[in-house]
């Protein structure tokens, strides 16, 4: 089942449980609009290469669409659509005044120069400029995009509109109106969810064994936060392999040696595979890399008591069922990874009011939002006797369904 299809399955179930008619599902099962663009880029060797990009806007009944832009060779239209639906759900779960959006470009930034990336980023903004904007759809970073790319995009958009538009995009460098705490926000949010989940399961973070798959923005900062909280990070991985040490890895050293794409295992010879990593003996497992990592094939072999999804879509629906039946507490992506968009919202608010907050203020507000979101989802899962994913979808879909109904769309 592809990501879009499995998301639709859960949306349908969530709407049924909430008592909505079929028409609401018809509205919410697909994005309201998806734009496909072709972006010609002059490469450093003088030749022109034409890239394909997408921007999907799932729903804007609650407020403007919001969500990241992914640069990756495996981007597909269906994936971008599914990711935009998840952004709507995240906004609902942490109660932000947004709908969901997502963008992607089929490219491999690891093979491109700095200037080629700049031309591609600017070209993408020119191509989608008609449908985005600070009150329409606000992009942000995602897989393999960063604050520099956001800066180029903000500059390009401001040139097109002929006024400075910091609120067009979030995840910017601090010097251009970025927010303190945005860089580490996704990992902070995951950390809060781990802490809350561990509390419910009576697991002490101090000394707990943690395995993190992926060493990108979320995975690397998360490993650091877990390490600082006294947990033992026994396994980490990147796209090329994994490292394991039952006594705990030297996270500070690994952070120091990782490249900007999160690659670090190439420096070692005694690696294990990503497949082996997921099945390691541990208390807490955090898939923080890519989709479809925990499936019906390996769900029976997962040893962790808690699985917290920092990546988007790492566990299939079949695997969700198996883990839940085995009594493993699964904290779903739409809840666990919502720290990023929460601080993106704070960034946008600060841009709109032109008044900037301290890092402490941002973290304090993030903490409040996520603790409440976790409790809402967890208690709904308990009272309705459903798994955490379905509970998160029920919480996430409610406001946009209500807003769509009040607007008279359904
Ligand atoms: N790309 C991130 C996500 O998937 C952040 C989106 C945002 O900050 O708008 O949640």
């Amino acid at each position: 089942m592809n990501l879009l299809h499995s998301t639709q399955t859960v949306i349908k179930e969530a709407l049924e449980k909430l008592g909505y008619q079929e028409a609401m599902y018809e509205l919410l099962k697909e994005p309201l609009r998806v734009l496909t663009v072709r972006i010609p880029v002059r490469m450093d060797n003088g030749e022109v290469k034409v890239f394909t990009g997408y921007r999907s806007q799932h729903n804007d009944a609650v407020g403007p669409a919001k969500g990241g832009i992914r640069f990756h060779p495996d981007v597909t239209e269906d994936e971008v659509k599914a990711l935009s639906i998840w952004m709507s759900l995240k906004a609902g779960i942490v109660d932000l005044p947004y709908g969901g959006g997502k963008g992607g470009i089929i490219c491999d930034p690891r093979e491109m120069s700095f200037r080629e990336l700049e031309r591609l980023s600017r070209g993408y903004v020119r191509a989608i400029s008609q449908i985005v904007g600070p009150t329409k759809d606000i992009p942000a970073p995602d897989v393999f995009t960063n604050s520099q790319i956001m800066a180029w995009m903000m500059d390009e958009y401001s040139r097109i509109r002929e006024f400075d538009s910091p609120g067009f995009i979030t995840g910017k460098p601090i010097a251009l109106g970025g927010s303190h705490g945005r860089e580490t926000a996704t990992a902070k949010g995951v950390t809060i969810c781990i802490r809350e989940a561990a509390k419910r399961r009576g697991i002490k973070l101090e000394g707990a064994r943690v395995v993190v798959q992926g060493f990108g923005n979320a995975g690397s900062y998360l490993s650091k936060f877990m390490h600082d909280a006294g947990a033992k990070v026994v396994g980490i991985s990147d796209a090329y392999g994994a490292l394991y040490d039952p006594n705990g890895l030297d996270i500070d050293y690994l952070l120091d040696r990782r490249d900007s794409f999160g690659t670090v295992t190439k420096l070692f010879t005694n690696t294990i595979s990503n497949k082996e990593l997921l099945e390691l003996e541990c208390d807490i497992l955090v898939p923080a890399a890519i989709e479809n990592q925990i499936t019906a094939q390996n769900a029976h072999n997962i040893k962790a008591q808690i699985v917290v999804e920092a990546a988007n879509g790492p566990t299939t629906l079949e695997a969700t069922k198996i883990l839940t039946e085995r009594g493993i507490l699964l904290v779903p992506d739409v809840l666990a990874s919502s720290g990023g968009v929460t601080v993106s919202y704070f960034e946008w608010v600060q841009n709109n009011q032109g008044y900037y907050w301290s890092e402490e203020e941002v973290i304090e507000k993030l903490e409040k939002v996520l603790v409440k979101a976790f409790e809402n989802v967890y208690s709904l899962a308990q009272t309705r006797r459903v798994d955490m994913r379905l509970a998160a979808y029920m919480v996430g879909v409610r406001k946009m369904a209500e807003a769509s109904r009040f607007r008279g769309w359904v």
Side-chain angles (χ1 to χ4, degrees):
M1 209 192 294
N2 80 7
L3 291 176
L4 181 60
H5 191 190
S6 54
T7 295
Q8 289 170 334
T9 308
V10 191
I11 296 247
K12 192 170 179 42
E13 224 181 317
L15 287 170
E16 273 167 15
K17 284 241 181 274
L18 293 170
Y20 282 100
Q21 313 269 318
E22 180 72 18
M24 190 61 83
Y25 173 66
E26 282 302 310
L27 175 71
L28 300 180
K29 72 176 186 187
E30 289 271 341
L32 289 175
R33 64 190 77 84
V34 183
L35 181 65
T36 303
V37 294
R38 296 279 286 156
I39 313 152
V41 175
R42 177 85 51 197
M43 305 303 274
D44 290 346
N45 64 6
E47 281 168 19
V48 171
K49 205 169 156 188
V50 185
F51 294 86
T52 298
Y54 306 98
R55 185 72 193 173
S56 167
Q57 297 170 344
H58 172 245
N59 190 278
D60 51 16
V62 173
K66 177 92 191 81
I69 298 164
R70 167 175 297 211
F71 282 10
H72 199 277
D74 300 335
V75 163
T76 64
E77 184 176 337
D78 265 9
E79 181 199 44
V80 175
K81 280 181 172 184
L83 287 161
S84 71
I85 299 180
W86 293 337
M87 288 312 303
S88 285
L89 294 167
K90 289 186 203 189
I93 290 167
V94 283
D95 200 10
L96 308 179
Y98 291 139
K102 199 75 167 203
I105 302 178
I106 306 168
C107 66
D108 194 343
R110 291 166 294 194
E111 315 265 285
M112 295 172 70
S113 74
F114 194 70
R115 289 296 159 221
E116 287 170 346
L117 276 176
E118 175 176 357
R119 292 192 282 270
L120 177 63
S121 304
R122 290 184 185 278
Y124 178 69
V125 170
R126 285 194 297 275
I128 64 165
S129 66
Q130 288 304 313
I131 65 159
V132 290
T135 55
K136 274 188 183 171
D137 179 2
I138 305 126
D142 197 76
V143 174
F144 289 170
T145 52
N146 55 27
S147 58
Q148 173 62 75
I149 291 175
M150 300 305 111
W152 289 321
M153 290 187 171
M154 193 279 265
D155 184 64
E156 191 64 27
Y157 185 82
S158 299
R159 287 187 195 193
I160 295 169
R161 293 281 175 260
E162 295 185 334
F163 52 81
D164 199 38
S165 312
F168 156 63
I169 203 162
T170 59
K172 301 177 293 295
I174 302 284
L176 288 181
S179 176
H180 287 291
R182 176 61 187 87
E183 175 84 10
T184 52
T186 308
K188 261 267 155 20
V190 179
T191 307
I192 295 167
C193 287
I194 293 176
R195 194 192 63 209
E196 294 301 306
K199 237 192 261 169
R200 305 300 194 286
R201 281 295 156 101
I203 297 173
K204 272 212 172 68
L205 277 191
E206 181 109 35
R209 294 159 308 166
V210 182
V211 168
V212 182
Q213 185 197 31
F215 216 53
N217 171 283
S220 62
Y221 285 123
L222 172 72
S223 302
K224 172 80 178 140
F225 293 151
M226 286 290 104
H227 179 72
D228 292 349
K232 226 180 337 169
V233 181
V234 296
I236 63 111
S237 74
D238 59 24
Y240 306 95
L243 303 173
Y244 172 57
D245 184 343
N247 298 314
L249 294 159
D250 185 346
I251 295 301
D252 288 324
Y253 176 75
L254 295 173
L255 283 173
D256 191 51
R257 302 305 303 274
R258 77 187 267 280
D259 73 11
S260 61
F261 295 105
T263 308
V264 71
T265 64
K266 278 183 173 169
L267 303 169
F268 299 84
T269 48
N270 51 341
T271 55
I272 60 171
S273 68
N274 261 286
K275 185 177 173 303
E276 289 168 308
L277 176 97
L278 294 170
E279 298 177 13
L280 285 175
E281 236 10 284
C282 66
D283 302 298
I284 299 162
L285 172 63
V286 187
I290 46 168
E291 292 115 15
N292 291 331
Q293 295 302 294
I294 306 179
T295 65
Q297 268 73 53
N298 61 1
H300 285 289
N301 305 331
I302 303 292
K303 316 272 188 321
Q305 299 179 57
I306 297 173
V307 175
V308 181
E309 297 181 330
N312 288 308
T315 314
T316 64
L317 291 190
E318 297 85 352
T320 301
K321 204 156 169 251
I322 297 169
L323 296 182
T324 309
E325 275 164 13
R326 290 184 57 217
I328 295 170
L329 178 57
L330 174 80
V331 185
D333 47 8
V334 284
L335 168 60
S337 71
S338 59
V341 69
T342 303
V343 177
S344 272
Y345 165 61
F346 297 159
E347 180 172 331
W348 181 75
V349 169
Q350 292 171 76
N351 295 149
N352 290 346
Q353 64 185 8
Y355 179 70
Y356 288 84
W357 311 343
S358 68
E359 179 153 9
E360 292 73 44
E361 257 177 291
V362 170
I363 292 173
E364 196 187 308
K365 288 188 167 76
L366 172 66
E367 169 86 29
K368 271 197 195 129
V369 168
L370 276 187
V371 168
K372 188 167 159 217
F374 188 98
E375 177 50 30
N376 284 345
V377 173
Y378 187 82
S379 55
L380 189 72
Q382 302 286 305
T383 51
R384 300 291 297 262
R385 293 177 192 281
V386 295
D387 64 51
M388 287 279 281
R389 189 180 312 282
L390 181 53
Y393 272 58
M394 288 166 71
V395 174
V397 85
R398 198 180 278 152
K399 192 167 170 186
M400 87 182 113
E402 276 309 274
S404 304
R405 196 172 59 78
F406 277 122
R407 281 179 186 266
W409 292 356
V410 174

